Amino acid sequence: YNANRFAQAARFYNLISDEDDPRATPKETWRYLGKSLLADGKAEEALPSIDHALEVEDNLFWKTDGLLDKSKALLALGRLDEAAKVAEECQNLRPEGRVNSEIRLVIGDIWMKRNNPAEAAKEYVAVATILLDDNDKVLKPLAMWKLIKALDAKGDKADAEQYRNQLQEKYPSWQAPKE
């Protein structure tokens, strides 16, 4: 998993998991099986593993992280109402750090899929300007890019251009994800 070989990681985690008796499998196995499948683009297959991990998780950080994964999977499947409900559940647990930033991006993505870029921009701007410092070379530029897209979609070309210039200036080698 840590080597970003998600298909292989999922295969091995699947070998040591017990779908017939989920509680017999360590929660870490379920957690990383779900994460591996999700990262490999298999959102539907990831959901049962994520749910198994959430059923037995008692650590607040890992609970919020699992809810983040579940909302990402539901978003990928286009199940927007469910994704929004899980994202709200995650936010109600008051996540901190990266999980807080990522759940806000997911909520913004849900708003974008619902064709409401103004609401999406509210979520993206918090991540792009407040929650992360400039040393984050992965999530911060992604948040800025998403904010630019939301601002463009809502017709706020001046602010979009301002963030576009900041993104280019602060992260000149950053590449936008393929859509």
mmCIF file with all atom_site columns, all heavy atoms in Angstrom, residues 135-146:
data_model
loop_
_atom_site.group_PDB
_atom_site.id
_atom_site.type_symbol
_atom_site.label_atom_id
_atom_site.label_alt_id
_atom_site.label_comp_id
_atom_site.label_asym_id
_atom_site.label_entity_id
_atom_site.label_seq_id
_atom_site.pdbx_PDB_ins_code
_atom_site.Cartn_x
_atom_site.Cartn_y
_atom_site.Cartn_z
_atom_site.occupancy
_atom_site.B_iso_or_equiv
_atom_site.pdbx_formal_charge
_atom_site.auth_seq_id
_atom_site.auth_comp_id
_atom_site.auth_asym_id
_atom_site.auth_atom_id
_atom_site.pdbx_PDB_model_num
ATOM 1   N N   . ASN A 1 135 ? 3.553   24.577 2.431   1.00 0.00 ? 135 ASN A N   1
ATOM 2   C CA  . ASN A 1 135 ? 4.461   23.445 2.290   1.00 0.00 ? 135 ASN A CA  1
ATOM 3   C C   . ASN A 1 135 ? 3.753   22.181 1.827   1.00 0.00 ? 135 ASN A C   1
ATOM 4   O O   . ASN A 1 135 ? 4.403   21.230 1.416   1.00 0.00 ? 135 ASN A O   1
ATOM 5   C CB  . ASN A 1 135 ? 5.185   23.174 3.606   1.00 0.00 ? 135 ASN A CB  1
ATOM 6   C CG  . ASN A 1 135 ? 6.113   24.304 3.973   1.00 0.00 ? 135 ASN A CG  1
ATOM 7   O OD1 . ASN A 1 135 ? 6.713   24.937 3.108   1.00 0.00 ? 135 ASN A OD1 1
ATOM 8   N ND2 . ASN A 1 135 ? 6.228   24.585 5.255   1.00 0.00 ? 135 ASN A ND2 1
ATOM 9   N N   . ASP A 1 136 ? 2.434   22.159 1.916   1.00 0.00 ? 136 ASP A N   1
ATOM 10  C CA  . ASP A 1 136 ? 1.672   21.006 1.422   1.00 0.00 ? 136 ASP A CA  1
ATOM 11  C C   . ASP A 1 136 ? 1.639   21.100 -0.099  1.00 0.00 ? 136 ASP A C   1
ATOM 12  O O   . ASP A 1 136 ? 0.951   21.935 -0.668  1.00 0.00 ? 136 ASP A O   1
ATOM 13  C CB  . ASP A 1 136 ? 0.247   21.013 1.988   1.00 0.00 ? 136 ASP A CB  1
ATOM 14  C CG  . ASP A 1 136 ? -0.526  19.765 1.598   1.00 0.00 ? 136 ASP A CG  1
ATOM 15  O OD1 . ASP A 1 136 ? -0.502  19.397 0.405   1.00 0.00 ? 136 ASP A OD1 1
ATOM 16  O OD2 . ASP A 1 136 ? -1.152  19.171 2.476   1.00 0.00 ? 136 ASP A OD2 1
ATOM 17  N N   . LYS A 1 137 ? 2.401   20.233 -0.727  1.00 0.00 ? 137 LYS A N   1
ATOM 18  C CA  . LYS A 1 137 ? 2.550   20.298 -2.186  1.00 0.00 ? 137 LYS A CA  1
ATOM 19  C C   . LYS A 1 137 ? 1.594   19.365 -2.919  1.00 0.00 ? 137 LYS A C   1
ATOM 20  O O   . LYS A 1 137 ? 1.677   19.207 -4.129  1.00 0.00 ? 137 LYS A O   1
ATOM 21  C CB  . LYS A 1 137 ? 3.992   19.979 -2.559  1.00 0.00 ? 137 LYS A CB  1
ATOM 22  C CG  . LYS A 1 137 ? 4.997   20.864 -1.842  1.00 0.00 ? 137 LYS A CG  1
ATOM 23  C CD  . LYS A 1 137 ? 5.955   21.507 -2.779  1.00 0.00 ? 137 LYS A CD  1
ATOM 24  C CE  . LYS A 1 137 ? 7.021   22.320 -2.115  1.00 0.00 ? 137 LYS A CE  1
ATOM 25  N NZ  . LYS A 1 137 ? 6.611   23.492 -1.455  1.00 0.00 ? 137 LYS A NZ  1
ATOM 26  N N   . VAL A 1 138 ? 0.682   18.731 -2.185  1.00 0.00 ? 138 VAL A N   1
ATOM 27  C CA  . VAL A 1 138 ? -0.281  17.823 -2.795  1.00 0.00 ? 138 VAL A CA  1
ATOM 28  C C   . VAL A 1 138 ? -1.696  18.369 -2.653  1.00 0.00 ? 138 VAL A C   1
ATOM 29  O O   . VAL A 1 138 ? -2.363  18.672 -3.643  1.00 0.00 ? 138 VAL A O   1
ATOM 30  C CB  . VAL A 1 138 ? -0.177  16.405 -2.179  1.00 0.00 ? 138 VAL A CB  1
ATOM 31  C CG1 . VAL A 1 138 ? -1.232  15.486 -2.760  1.00 0.00 ? 138 VAL A CG1 1
ATOM 32  C CG2 . VAL A 1 138 ? 1.208   15.828 -2.397  1.00 0.00 ? 138 VAL A CG2 1
ATOM 33  N N   . LEU A 1 139 ? -2.139  18.495 -1.430  1.00 0.00 ? 139 LEU A N   1
ATOM 34  C CA  . LEU A 1 139 ? -3.526  18.878 -1.178  1.00 0.00 ? 139 LEU A CA  1
ATOM 35  C C   . LEU A 1 139 ? -3.791  20.367 -1.421  1.00 0.00 ? 139 LEU A C   1
ATOM 36  O O   . LEU A 1 139 ? -4.827  20.735 -1.962  1.00 0.00 ? 139 LEU A O   1
ATOM 37  C CB  . LEU A 1 139 ? -3.901  18.501 0.258   1.00 0.00 ? 139 LEU A CB  1
ATOM 38  C CG  . LEU A 1 139 ? -5.334  18.089 0.508   1.00 0.00 ? 139 LEU A CG  1
ATOM 39  C CD1 . LEU A 1 139 ? -5.810  17.030 -0.463  1.00 0.00 ? 139 LEU A CD1 1
ATOM 40  C CD2 . LEU A 1 139 ? -5.502  17.605 1.929   1.00 0.00 ? 139 LEU A CD2 1
ATOM 41  N N   . LYS A 1 140 ? -2.854  21.230 -1.032  1.00 0.00 ? 140 LYS A N   1
ATOM 42  C CA  . LYS A 1 140 ? -3.073  22.673 -1.197  1.00 0.00 ? 140 LYS A CA  1
ATOM 43  C C   . LYS A 1 140 ? -3.210  23.063 -2.666  1.00 0.00 ? 140 LYS A C   1
ATOM 44  O O   . LYS A 1 140 ? -4.170  23.748 -3.023  1.00 0.00 ? 140 LYS A O   1
ATOM 45  C CB  . LYS A 1 140 ? -1.958  23.467 -0.522  1.00 0.00 ? 140 LYS A CB  1
ATOM 46  C CG  . LYS A 1 140 ? -2.128  24.964 -0.678  1.00 0.00 ? 140 LYS A CG  1
ATOM 47  C CD  . LYS A 1 140 ? -2.173  25.648 0.617   1.00 0.00 ? 140 LYS A CD  1
ATOM 48  C CE  . LYS A 1 140 ? -2.345  27.142 0.433   1.00 0.00 ? 140 LYS A CE  1
ATOM 49  N NZ  . LYS A 1 140 ? -2.404  27.819 1.701   1.00 0.00 ? 140 LYS A NZ  1
ATOM 50  N N   . PRO A 1 141 ? -2.304  22.639 -3.551  1.00 0.00 ? 141 PRO A N   1
ATOM 51  C CA  . PRO A 1 141 ? -2.511  23.009 -4.959  1.00 0.00 ? 141 PRO A CA  1
ATOM 52  C C   . PRO A 1 141 ? -3.771  22.377 -5.551  1.00 0.00 ? 141 PRO A C   1
ATOM 53  O O   . PRO A 1 141 ? -4.440  22.994 -6.390  1.00 0.00 ? 141 PRO A O   1
ATOM 54  C CB  . PRO A 1 141 ? -1.241  22.538 -5.674  1.00 0.00 ? 141 PRO A CB  1
ATOM 55  C CG  . PRO A 1 141 ? -0.558  21.622 -4.733  1.00 0.00 ? 141 PRO A CG  1
ATOM 56  C CD  . PRO A 1 141 ? -1.024  21.953 -3.354  1.00 0.00 ? 141 PRO A CD  1
ATOM 57  N N   . LEU A 1 142 ? -4.113  21.176 -5.101  1.00 0.00 ? 142 LEU A N   1
ATOM 58  C CA  . LEU A 1 142 ? -5.346  20.542 -5.567  1.00 0.00 ? 142 LEU A CA  1
ATOM 59  C C   . LEU A 1 142 ? -6.553  21.390 -5.155  1.00 0.00 ? 142 LEU A C   1
ATOM 60  O O   . LEU A 1 142 ? -7.468  21.624 -5.955  1.00 0.00 ? 142 LEU A O   1
ATOM 61  C CB  . LEU A 1 142 ? -5.467  19.130 -5.009  1.00 0.00 ? 142 LEU A CB  1
ATOM 62  C CG  . LEU A 1 142 ? -6.737  18.364 -5.369  1.00 0.00 ? 142 LEU A CG  1
ATOM 63  C CD1 . LEU A 1 142 ? -6.826  18.123 -6.877  1.00 0.00 ? 142 LEU A CD1 1
ATOM 64  C CD2 . LEU A 1 142 ? -6.802  17.050 -4.600  1.00 0.00 ? 142 LEU A CD2 1
ATOM 65  N N   . ALA A 1 143 ? -6.550  21.857 -3.916  1.00 0.00 ? 143 ALA A N   1
ATOM 66  C CA  . ALA A 1 143 ? -7.642  22.708 -3.431  1.00 0.00 ? 143 ALA A CA  1
ATOM 67  C C   . ALA A 1 143 ? -7.711  24.005 -4.230  1.00 0.00 ? 143 ALA A C   1
ATOM 68  O O   . ALA A 1 143 ? -8.807  24.468 -4.593  1.00 0.00 ? 143 ALA A O   1
ATOM 69  C CB  . ALA A 1 143 ? -7.460  23.004 -1.946  1.00 0.00 ? 143 ALA A CB  1
ATOM 70  N N   . MET A 1 144 ? -6.576  24.588 -4.522  1.00 0.00 ? 144 MET A N   1
ATOM 71  C CA  . MET A 1 144 ? -6.557  25.820 -5.328  1.00 0.00 ? 144 MET A CA  1
ATOM 72  C C   . MET A 1 144 ? -7.119  25.560 -6.718  1.00 0.00 ? 144 MET A C   1
ATOM 73  O O   . MET A 1 144 ? -7.899  26.358 -7.240  1.00 0.00 ? 144 MET A O   1
ATOM 74  C CB  . MET A 1 144 ? -5.130  26.376 -5.402  1.00 0.00 ? 144 MET A CB  1
ATOM 75  C CG  . MET A 1 144 ? -4.623  26.899 -4.068  1.00 0.00 ? 144 MET A CG  1
ATOM 76  S SD  . MET A 1 144 ? -2.913  27.465 -4.155  1.00 0.00 ? 144 MET A SD  1
ATOM 77  C CE  . MET A 1 144 ? -3.188  29.102 -4.822  1.00 0.00 ? 144 MET A CE  1
ATOM 78  N N   . TRP A 1 145 ? -6.724  24.457 -7.325  1.00 0.00 ? 145 TRP A N   1
ATOM 79  C CA  . TRP A 1 145 ? -7.205  24.098 -8.660  1.00 0.00 ? 145 TRP A CA  1
ATOM 80  C C   . TRP A 1 145 ? -8.727  23.906 -8.657  1.00 0.00 ? 145 TRP A C   1
ATOM 81  O O   . TRP A 1 145 ? -9.430  24.388 -9.542  1.00 0.00 ? 145 TRP A O   1
ATOM 82  C CB  . TRP A 1 145 ? -6.479  22.836 -9.126  1.00 0.00 ? 145 TRP A CB  1
ATOM 83  C CG  . TRP A 1 145 ? -6.913  22.298 -10.437 1.00 0.00 ? 145 TRP A CG  1
ATOM 84  C CD1 . TRP A 1 145 ? -6.650  22.820 -11.677 1.00 0.00 ? 145 TRP A CD1 1
ATOM 85  C CD2 . TRP A 1 145 ? -7.679  21.115 -10.662 1.00 0.00 ? 145 TRP A CD2 1
ATOM 86  N NE1 . TRP A 1 145 ? -7.201  22.028 -12.639 1.00 0.00 ? 145 TRP A NE1 1
ATOM 87  C CE2 . TRP A 1 145 ? -7.842  20.971 -12.051 1.00 0.00 ? 145 TRP A CE2 1
ATOM 88  C CE3 . TRP A 1 145 ? -8.223  20.158 -9.813  1.00 0.00 ? 145 TRP A CE3 1
ATOM 89  C CZ2 . TRP A 1 145 ? -8.545  19.913 -12.616 1.00 0.00 ? 145 TRP A CZ2 1
ATOM 90  C CZ3 . TRP A 1 145 ? -8.916  19.102 -10.372 1.00 0.00 ? 145 TRP A CZ3 1
ATOM 91  C CH2 . TRP A 1 145 ? -9.076  18.988 -11.752 1.00 0.00 ? 145 TRP A CH2 1
ATOM 92  N N   . LYS A 1 146 ? -9.235  23.211 -7.641  1.00 0.00 ? 146 LYS A N   1
ATOM 93  C CA  . LYS A 1 146 ? -10.676 23.002 -7.529  1.00 0.00 ? 146 LYS A CA  1
ATOM 94  C C   . LYS A 1 146 ? -11.389 24.337 -7.306  1.00 0.00 ? 146 LYS A C   1
ATOM 95  O O   . LYS A 1 146 ? -12.469 24.569 -7.859  1.00 0.00 ? 146 LYS A O   1
ATOM 96  C CB  . LYS A 1 146 ? -10.997 22.023 -6.394  1.00 0.00 ? 146 LYS A CB  1
ATOM 97  C CG  . LYS A 1 146 ? -10.625 20.579 -6.717  1.00 0.00 ? 146 LYS A CG  1
ATOM 98  C CD  . LYS A 1 146 ? -10.845 19.673 -5.509  1.00 0.00 ? 146 LYS A CD  1
ATOM 99  C CE  . LYS A 1 146 ? -10.480 18.253 -5.811  1.00 0.00 ? 146 LYS A CE  1
ATOM 100 N NZ  . LYS A 1 146 ? -11.588 17.458 -6.306  1.00 0.00 ? 146 LYS A NZ  1
#
